[in-house]
Amino acid sequence: MAEALDAAAVWDRLRRIRTAEDAEAAGLVPGSASGYASPGATQLAERYLPLCLAGAHVACAQLGQSLDGFIATRTGDADFVTGEEDRRHLHRLRALSDAVIVGAGTAVADDPRLTVRACAGDNPVRVVLDPRGRVPRRRQVFTDGAAPTLWVVGPEAAVAEGAGLDVLVLPDAEAFAPHRVLAALARRGLGRVLVEGGGVTVSRFLQAGALHRLYVTVAPVLLGDGVPGLRFPGTPVMRDALRPPVRRTLLGEDTLFEFALGTPGARPGGPADDEHTGAR
């Protein structure tokens, strides 16, 4: 009889899974809790195995927001909207990703590190989308040396590479379209991508139909106004609203919504046959 796996062992195996064959070899079978030694181990497998089984080419996004839809106060303070369990969840998503994307606005306002600290795992490549090259060079993603960083800029941005910092110059504004960005990353071997922020960048990827999964964690707090989360051109009638399949999970006092937006394992860079082509 196989030894039951504790939470640490389950997480270690999840980090190595890219295919159904990998999962079978690791003893992690979807829908089965018989091989897990604790509720924590079962929760980890149930929460992250579907993402791991989506394959080596999958794009997901994550946002933490207030109940009324804001990711920060009007002054930009987001420290912290959601609780500790959601931050641990975010770091696990980073650890399962090849690359993590943020827009220039988030890099300027939040000065994020984008590294894996709240769980075991390797740091992803940090990707900063910055068409005009406006993010100051002193930001942590460029200076801390904790993980490789890819600075994606337009042709007129005057930036230079450095230690642990690569620069990717895209030819025009159209090249920053979400599907084209994902295709460019895939050519560099970065197929499993997390779009982390901010709300504008996540909304662009959602509207373009470039995401396979969307994680939104809602905290029981009301801000009244502030920096909005998801925003895209809406529908005039409710029946045409985007209603993807969803799983709900409690993270302490917060609620995590996991939306399935496209075909698991579909290669980013072009929508799959049954993938939504826009958030309309």
Side-chain angles (χ1 to χ4, degrees):
M1 182 176 179
E3 181 182 358
L5 300 173
D6 62 15
V10 168
W11 177 243
D12 182 64
R13 298 187 185 195
L14 284 168
R15 290 166 46 214
R16 307 171 194 277
I17 292 175
R18 296 288 173 119
T19 66
E21 291 76 16
D22 293 340
E24 184 177 357
L28 300 183
V29 180
S32 173
S34 59
Y36 308 131
S38 67
T42 302
Q43 290 171 1
L44 283 173
E46 291 179 346
R47 186 175 303 162
Y48 299 107
L49 188 55
L51 175 60
C52 296
L53 290 173
H57 291 88
V58 60
C60 62
Q62 187 274 348
L63 283 176
Q65 65 177 45
S66 66
L67 189 62
D68 48 353
F70 299 103
I71 60 175
T73 68
R74 73 168 73 93
T75 64
D77 180 23
D79 191 10
F80 291 101
V81 179
T82 55
E84 184 63 31
E85 287 194 37
D86 183 52
R87 291 192 290 281
R88 190 176 299 113
H89 163 67
L90 171 59
H91 284 231
R92 287 179 178 141
L93 291 180
R94 291 176 184 170
L96 294 174
S97 302
D98 300 323
V100 55
I101 293 176
V102 294
T106 295
V108 171
D110 296 347
D111 193 15
R113 296 167 64 183
L114 306 178
T115 53
V116 177
R117 305 183 300 282
C119 66
D122 298 327
N123 293 322
V125 175
R126 305 175 292 191
V127 180
V128 180
L129 300 183
D130 188 12
R132 299 193 301 276
R134 66 185 179 93
V135 180
R137 189 62 177 263
R138 62 181 178 274
R139 286 298 183 264
Q140 294 183 96
V141 290
F142 300 144
T143 62
D144 65 10
T149 297
L150 180 63
W151 199 355
V152 185
V153 299
E156 298 180 359
V159 300
E161 296 184 350
L165 172 61
D166 291 333
V167 174
L168 174 61
V169 181
L170 298 183
D172 49 40
E174 286 72 22
F176 281 86
H179 282 294
R180 294 183 64 178
V181 168
L182 292 175
L185 295 180
R187 288 192 293 270
R188 289 173 166 252
L190 306 174
R192 190 180 278 181
V193 177
L194 170 64
V195 184
E196 187 169 321
V200 171
T201 299
V202 172
S203 296
R204 286 183 60 241
F205 275 75
L206 175 64
Q207 184 181 356
L211 298 175
H212 301 110
R213 274 178 169 76
L214 172 65
Y215 298 88
V216 178
T217 302
V218 179
V221 60
L222 300 171
L223 296 182
D225 66 359
V227 179
L230 294 174
R231 292 292 185 272
F232 51 82
T235 172
V237 291
M238 188 63 70
R239 66 175 177 270
D240 291 336
L242 186 63
R243 293 180 185 270
V246 62
R247 293 198 304 168
R248 297 171 183 84
T249 304
L250 292 179
L251 298 178
E253 293 185 344
D254 305 328
T255 303
L256 169 64
F257 295 86
E258 178 188 351
F259 298 96
L261 300 172
T263 303
R267 189 179 183 92
D273 291 341
D274 61 346
E275 189 175 356
H276 73 289
T277 56
R280 292 187 294 269

